Amino acid sequence: FIITGGEPTANSAFLDWCRYLNALDYNISMHSNGSRTPDYYQELIKYGDLNLSVHYEAWDQMKFLKVVEAIVKTKVEHNERTGHLEVKIMMKPGTTEYTIDFEQKLKAIPKFTDYCTWAIVPIKDNNYIVTQGSEMDGKLLDGYKKIDFTLFGDRNGK
């Protein structure tokens, strides 16, 4: 199952449903904005893969970092019984320094780089910028700096 949103964790029965699917041995991949409590995500990561998306216009950075830290702690303690965590940093034009600073804060979480992956994704007007091969639509990328293009994509090991 691939479960996306809106925000699927807003459904009060979502965690129960994930427990149920996990008990039936289904593979689950979930997408969330990380808005629930750290405890919630510490349990959720036990049932499948989790992709957390960072949208700067609608988040609390410190809370998000606490959520990621809690998930990483659970992954370290229960390595083989947890799903994979990927953080997608949705970068709008003009947020280069903010994005780099946030990435450094993620990487400072103990064991984050050992147990998780992350990517920086260009976004404009709350829509993903679709890329094909190495070509990107120049109009959609207006406003990004030259350095931004070196940031986009998988950031593991950087």
Side-chain angles (χ1 to χ4, degrees):
F1 287 84
I2 299 172
I3 307 164
T4 63
E7 176 55 39
T9 66
N11 183 318
S12 61
F14 184 69
L15 201 51
D16 289 333
W17 188 50
C18 290
R19 284 186 200 108
Y20 173 76
L21 292 174
N22 182 265
L24 294 175
D25 219 18
Y26 284 106
N27 294 320
I28 307 169
S29 177
M30 302 160 279
H31 296 253
S32 175
N33 62 16
S35 59
R36 298 294 297 249
T37 65
D39 291 347
Y40 184 94
Y41 289 104
Q42 282 185 294
E43 182 174 354
L44 192 60
I45 194 67
K46 294 176 184 176
Y47 304 126
D49 296 333
L50 182 58
N51 295 282
L52 295 179
S53 294
V54 173
H55 293 266
Y56 301 146
E57 62 278 359
W59 76 318
D60 175 333
Q61 184 182 95
M62 293 310 296
K63 180 181 176 188
F64 190 91
L65 289 167
K66 286 177 183 175
V67 164
V68 172
E69 187 172 11
I71 294 169
V72 172
K73 182 179 176 187
T74 299
K75 291 183 65 50
V76 169
E77 292 171 359
H78 305 281
N79 187 24
E80 282 126 29
R81 297 178 309 221
T82 64
H84 178 72
L85 173 65
E86 179 163 33
V87 176
K88 294 196 183 293
I89 304 169
M90 311 310 289
M91 182 181 165
K92 286 187 170 188
T95 61
T96 308
E97 291 77 21
Y98 192 74
T99 299
I100 292 170
D101 179 66
F102 177 67
E103 180 184 40
Q104 292 307 311
K105 288 176 182 173
L106 277 175
K107 290 166 62 175
I109 294 171
K111 301 290 186 181
F112 175 79
T113 59
D114 297 330
Y115 284 84
C116 307
T117 58
W118 69 102
I120 296 176
V121 180
I123 187 170
K124 199 145 192 186
D125 302 325
N126 295 325
N127 292 306
Y128 290 100
I129 295 176
V130 179
T131 63
Q132 281 189 326
S134 62
E135 294 182 26
M136 295 185 185
D137 183 334
K139 288 182 182 177
L140 287 176
L141 294 173
D142 284 347
Y144 287 102
K145 299 176 186 176
K146 190 173 186 176
I147 188 176
D148 296 341
F149 293 93
T150 67
L151 300 175
F152 298 153
D154 177 14
R155 301 289 296 164
N156 307 313
K158 295 182 182 177

